[in-house]
Amino acid sequence: TIKMLMGVLKARTGTVRYFEEPARRRATIQSKREIGYVSQQQHFYSWMNATSLGKFVGRLYPKWDPQEYKRLLKLFDIAPKQRAGTLSGGTRVKLALALALAPRPKLLLLDEPMAGLDAVAQREFLDLVQEQARLYGRTTFFSSHRIHEVERICDRIGMINQGKMLYEGTVAQLQQSVRQLSCSLSETACELPAGVKLVFEEERQGQRLRVVRHMDIQQSEPAVWDPAAFAGQALSELNLEDIFIAMVRDKTKLSSVQSNAGDVV
């Protein structure tokens, strides 16, 4: 998806639009000047340091802000004169973000941006991205397998599995629309009410666990989860990571899945 947004790959179906214009096979120079991009792997000229990289990249962007770049280097504790080839993986990611933010782009694209960062650096990274989005009204699009990060900072999410979009919308609405039902295996399984779809089912420790989604729920209508409609089954809420796992699990491997430690496998 990100490669299509950057014009590296051409979409076989559908369209990509940004800044009110359709994206072409090769994004125009003008449109790329409005995009800040941080890839999963950073490639710098190893003999350049942060200062020389800033001068080199800055010539490509009319709106390059050298003072902002210096501020970001200081914020990230990046030595201006240290050669890029000697930087740690985490520092390279932070340098890439500084280079992406200094032109003050309208759109920021991040591909697995937290890879290689320790816990403290991850928090600093996410806090900065949030702060920048608030201050400048910047749209930030990022991919991540770290679901807790997504849940903490994202307004809208898309869940993609095997090239298909399973959900696109707000985090709050997804969490409101999904519940886990549990009941004893000795009880007869109750039919689901109208509008409720089974997402995932397994048997564990004498219990039948069912993750279900109400397809026509509204955030203002929690009454659709009236326990009376799910007789004999206990209702519980799920966090975003549990919902994601339930939605992408291989449905061909769900027969009597058990875990010795009581965890989902």
Side-chain angles (χ1 to χ4, degrees), residues 108-127:
L108 182 63
L109 300 179
L110 307 174
D111 186 2
E112 293 285 350
M114 265 59 75
L117 298 182
D118 60 36
V120 174
Q122 289 175 27
R123 177 59 62 88
E124 292 175 346
F125 187 101
L126 291 175
D127 287 346

Side-chain angles (χ1 to χ4, degrees), residues 182-183 187-191 193 226-234:
S182 61
C183 64
E187 298 180 20
T188 303
C190 299
E191 291 188 7
D226 184 355
F230 301 89
Q233 303 183 84

